Amino acid sequence: MIPVQPEVGVAFWMLAFVIIMSGAMVVSLRNIFHCALCLIICLSAVAGIFILLEAEFLAAAQVLIYVGAVSILIIFAVMLTSNLAVQKIVQTNENALVAFVICLVFMGGTCALVDATHVWRYTAEALPANNTLEIGRQLMTDYMLPFEVVSILLIAALIGAIMLAREEKT
Amino acid sequence: MVPVTAYLILAAVLFGVGALGVLISRNLIILFMSVELMLNAANLALIAFARAVNVVDGQVVVFLVLTVAAAEAAVGLSMIVTIVRNRETINVDRLNLLKW
């Protein structure tokens, strides 16, 4: 067991609070631009949780890919549609109450299941300090095929995105 | 000391918030952001499991999920731009051409 670090607990609860609050604001705020900013806060806090779980490489990747790239894409989309966003349409539909109850039931059920599963109650020993090295090694050996497939998927998706979004020249 | 259970419950709540966003949202972009929240909840659970059983395989899977999420963001947002250009709305209730 790693020695007890009380500051990890404090950091976890603060980050968890930030994640839940900003996540709730993403789905509830009226202004889409504010929603996008709350999404950036939420994703950054998730990167903080990754650091607490000793996944430093993924925390860096989360900041680069989500906070750096995906959020910027979303803000571009918000700006491209901003002439529509100024119309103050209600962002929620008439299913809001039913959906809220369903999601509460889902959350309660999942939390009860997790709580009832005693296998995960302990905290394991620390991962090896150089787990970034280990990730690289796994990607080049056991996970070689998924790695290559995902590379092709990414390039295909990006070319497809360009094809979709360009102006038609007739 | 934070047990792995706490991370899993956080992931479950974040997933629930994202699912709520997908269900109640009328705006295509907010719907898209809610999907990103759900993806992050899944990543959080995977990394918590990787930490619990002390292997890095979970982290490798999260790396692949991040890549797929980037591809999904690019395609999804270009589709939003195309929809706005053709239909001039991002209200999902108005996108009912295929509805019988």
Side-chain angles (χ1 to χ4, degrees):
Chain A
M1 296 289 281
I2 55 172
V4 176
Q5 295 166 303
E7 65 270 23
V8 169
V10 174
F12 172 78
W13 291 115
M14 284 168 62
L15 287 170
F17 180 75
V18 170
I19 288 173
I20 301 300
M21 290 310 291
S22 55
M25 279 155 85
V26 168
V27 301
S28 62
L29 287 184
R30 291 284 172 88
N31 187 327
I32 314 178
F33 190 69
H34 292 170
C35 292
L37 294 181
C38 288
L39 183 74
I40 293 177
I41 296 173
C42 186
L43 299 178
S44 312
V46 171
I49 293 278
F50 285 2
I51 289 179
L52 291 187
L53 286 167
E54 300 179 14
E56 293 88 0
F57 170 69
L58 288 169
Q62 168 96 358
V63 171
L64 281 175
I65 296 174
Y66 268 118
V67 183
V70 174
S71 302
I72 300 300
L73 275 178
I74 289 176
I75 287 175
F76 266 114
V78 170
M79 289 193 301
L80 286 171
T81 59
S82 59
N83 54 335
L84 306 170
V86 290
Q87 310 160 5
K88 285 291 173 195
I89 57 165
V90 182
Q91 305 282 18
T92 56
N93 57 22
E94 65 275 10
N95 302 331
L97 193 66
V98 183
F100 189 70
V101 172
I102 289 173
C103 285
L104 270 187
V105 169
F106 170 78
M107 279 188 229
T110 320
C111 292
L113 266 180
V114 168
D115 201 45
T117 312
H118 297 281
V119 186
W120 308 114
R121 203 172 282 282
Y122 62 92
T123 305
E125 293 163 33
L127 283 171
N130 53 357
N131 64 48
T132 305
L133 178 75
E134 191 56 36
I135 291 173
R137 191 169 284 144
Q138 292 271 343
L139 274 178
M140 284 296 126
T141 53
D142 291 355
Y143 290 88
M144 192 76 202
L145 183 64
F147 182 68
E148 296 297 338
V149 169
V150 103
S151 315
I152 295 170
L153 175 76
L154 188 60
I155 191 76
L158 291 179
I159 294 171
I162 295 169
M163 291 295 293
L164 271 175
R166 71 172 186 172
E167 297 275 353
E168 289 288 333
K169 296 229 171 58
T170 48
Chain B
M1 184 63 84
V2 184
V4 174
T5 312
Y7 291 100
L8 293 179
I9 288 176
L10 174 63
V13 173
L14 187 59
F15 190 93
V17 170
L20 180 68
V22 170
L23 287 178
I24 70 173
S25 178
R26 213 172 234 174
N27 187 319
L28 205 48
I29 296 179
I30 293 183
L31 209 142
F32 188 79
M33 291 195 262
S34 305
V35 173
E36 299 292 335
L37 285 183
M38 288 160 74
L39 273 171
N40 262 277
N43 283 351
L44 193 53
L46 274 171
I47 292 190
F49 282 132
R51 177 77 173 75
V53 300
N54 221 352
V55 291
V56 295
D57 295 53
Q59 298 192 12
V60 176
V61 174
V62 170
F63 179 71
L64 301 176
V65 172
L66 277 179
T67 320
V68 175
E72 173 246 344
V75 175
L77 290 170
S78 66
M79 281 169 72
I80 290 176
V81 168
T82 314
I83 288 169
V84 167
R85 193 183 293 146
N86 290 330
R87 303 292 315 275
E88 292 177 353
T89 179
I90 46 172
N91 184 345
V92 283
D93 291 344
R94 297 260 188 81
L95 303 175
N96 53 3
L97 269 182
L98 288 178
K99 210 173 187 178
W100 187 51

